[in-house]
Amino acid sequence: MTCVCGAASGPLGECADHYYAILAEEQADPVMYRWHNPVVCAYLLQHPGDGHAQYLDVQFRWLQLLLDQGLDAMLRVQAHQIARNGHKARRSYDMAPFEKYAPLPQTVPGHFSASFSGLPVIDGSFVSDGHEAYGRRIEMIAEATVRAWTSS
């Protein structure tokens, strides 16, 4: 079976099956949860029909920020956005951290060199070999996502 992103099915099925399993596992694992933003952005960019088109550009820029500056910088920008968007702050989304990154191209790629269905799942866990290894795999998916969009 092939996923809409062009990836072959993995141990849990299509990418969506892996994605929802990741979301469930990260709820109980705060270290794994640090990768939540790139997981969501990469999944929705690889499966744009599952999200909202109006957010794909900023999701593309989030992945570029991650690849350019690393996870800690991305988490700082994320904390800044959360603080700005709180009900008490009543300020809009701050696009300044994303201005230097390329906008989302118009052509949707048909294939990605790394996808969610390719993630190893051992004893029901994506982090059985450690959080660093999991983070590297998510970063590889993020990189494959940006590369596919920029080359399409």
Side-chain angles (χ1 to χ4, degrees):
M1 184 183 323
T2 303
C3 186
V4 297
C5 70
S9 294
L12 300 179
E14 292 185 356
C15 290
D17 301 309
H18 289 75
Y19 174 65
Y20 291 118
I22 288 168
L23 296 180
E25 185 175 357
E26 71 185 14
Q27 292 301 308
D29 186 338
V31 178
M32 185 182 182
Y33 190 80
R34 291 169 44 94
W35 290 94
H36 178 75
N37 181 323
V39 164
V40 171
C41 292
Y43 177 80
L44 292 174
L45 284 161
Q46 288 192 4
H47 306 85
D50 289 358
H52 298 283
Q54 69 193 41
Y55 302 119
L56 291 176
D57 180 71
V58 75
Q59 290 165 338
F60 183 64
R61 292 171 192 247
W62 272 110
L63 293 184
Q64 291 174 76
L65 185 145
L66 168 70
L67 298 173
D68 180 40
Q69 298 183 41
L71 181 64
D72 289 335
M74 187 208 70
L75 292 171
R76 283 191 298 276
V77 171
Q78 186 175 309
H80 167 73
Q81 297 293 3
I82 290 168
R84 278 185 65 90
N85 293 324
H87 293 292
K88 294 178 185 174
R90 300 206 186 271
R91 291 182 276 176
S92 64
Y93 206 77
D94 181 8
M95 288 301 291
F98 307 103
E99 288 174 353
K100 76 178 196 173
Y101 299 110
L104 183 72
Q106 296 300 308
T107 305
V108 178
H111 178 74
F112 301 87
S113 61
S115 64
F116 288 87
S117 64
L119 290 173
V121 183
I122 301 168
D123 295 329
S125 176
F126 292 91
V127 294
S128 60
D129 60 345
H131 292 94
E132 281 186 44
Y134 170 75
R136 284 192 303 274
R137 287 190 291 270
I138 296 304
E139 192 167 316
M140 286 175 45
I141 291 173
E143 185 176 354
T145 304
V146 170
R147 189 174 47 250
W149 274 94
T150 56
S151 65
S152 63

